[in-house]
């Protein structure tokens, strides 16, 4: 469901990096990481997305943010699509998040 919602949101390039699904749009944008007891939906500009989804937790010293999901977590595909569309827009407005000046 997560992958399908992300791909519906915008024209991402999709790859596997660090054993995770990574979606690229003017640099890295979104990551889906499946672990044994949880799934992480990570955003390179996640701190900027917390108004859309307050459950996104800051991660690291840059703009990274993750939505941590377990079997009990309720996730609306439309919300994931909205987050992905905004993450895509931010990467094109602000530039590649992996190049810091």
């Amino acid at each position: 469901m997560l992958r399908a919602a992300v791909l519906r949101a915008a024209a991402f390039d999709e790859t596997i990096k660090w054993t995770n699904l990574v979606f690229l749009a003017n640099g890295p944008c979104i990551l889906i990481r499946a672990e044994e007891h949880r799934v992480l939906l990570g955003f390179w500009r996640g701190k900027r997305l917390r108004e859309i989804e307050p459950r996104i937790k800051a991660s690291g010293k840059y703009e990274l943010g993750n939505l941590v999901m377990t079997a009990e977590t309720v996730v609306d595909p439309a919300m994931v699509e909205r987050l992905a569309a905004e993450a895509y827009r931010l990467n094109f407005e602000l530039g590649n998040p992996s190049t810091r000046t």
Side-chain angles (χ1 to χ4, degrees), residues 6-51:
V6 168
L7 292 174
R8 279 193 307 271
F12 289 102
D13 290 322
E14 180 182 22
T15 191
I16 296 176
K17 288 187 178 228
W18 316 291
T19 69
N20 305 298
L21 282 175
V22 175
F23 300 89
L24 307 163
N26 195 26
C29 196
I30 300 170
L31 173 137
I32 298 175
R33 177 186 178 108
E35 299 176 350
E36 187 174 349
H37 298 289
R38 66 183 190 164
V39 174
L40 299 178
L41 181 59
F43 298 92
W44 267 259
R45 298 193 186 281
K47 290 179 183 176
R48 294 176 183 254
L49 300 174
R50 291 188 293 185
E51 284 187 21

Side-chain angles (χ1 to χ4, degrees), residues 74-90:
V74 175
V75 180
D76 177 9
M79 181 268 303
V80 175
E81 243 182 280
R82 185 173 170 212
L83 288 167
E86 182 63 8
Y88 182 92
R89 185 191 71 74
L90 286 168

Side-chain angles (χ1 to χ4, degrees), residues 46-91:
K47 290 179 183 176
R48 294 176 183 254
L49 300 174
R50 291 188 293 185
E51 284 187 21
I52 297 171
E53 177 51 77
R55 295 178 295 178
I56 292 175
K57 302 295 182 217
S59 174
K61 63 181 180 176
Y62 298 107
E63 292 191 78
L64 297 172
N66 295 309
L67 177 59
V68 179
M69 297 167 279
T70 64
E72 295 79 31
T73 305
V74 175
V75 180
D76 177 9
M79 181 268 303
V80 175
E81 243 182 280
R82 185 173 170 212
L83 288 167
E86 182 63 8
Y88 182 92
R89 185 191 71 74
L90 286 168
N91 264 23

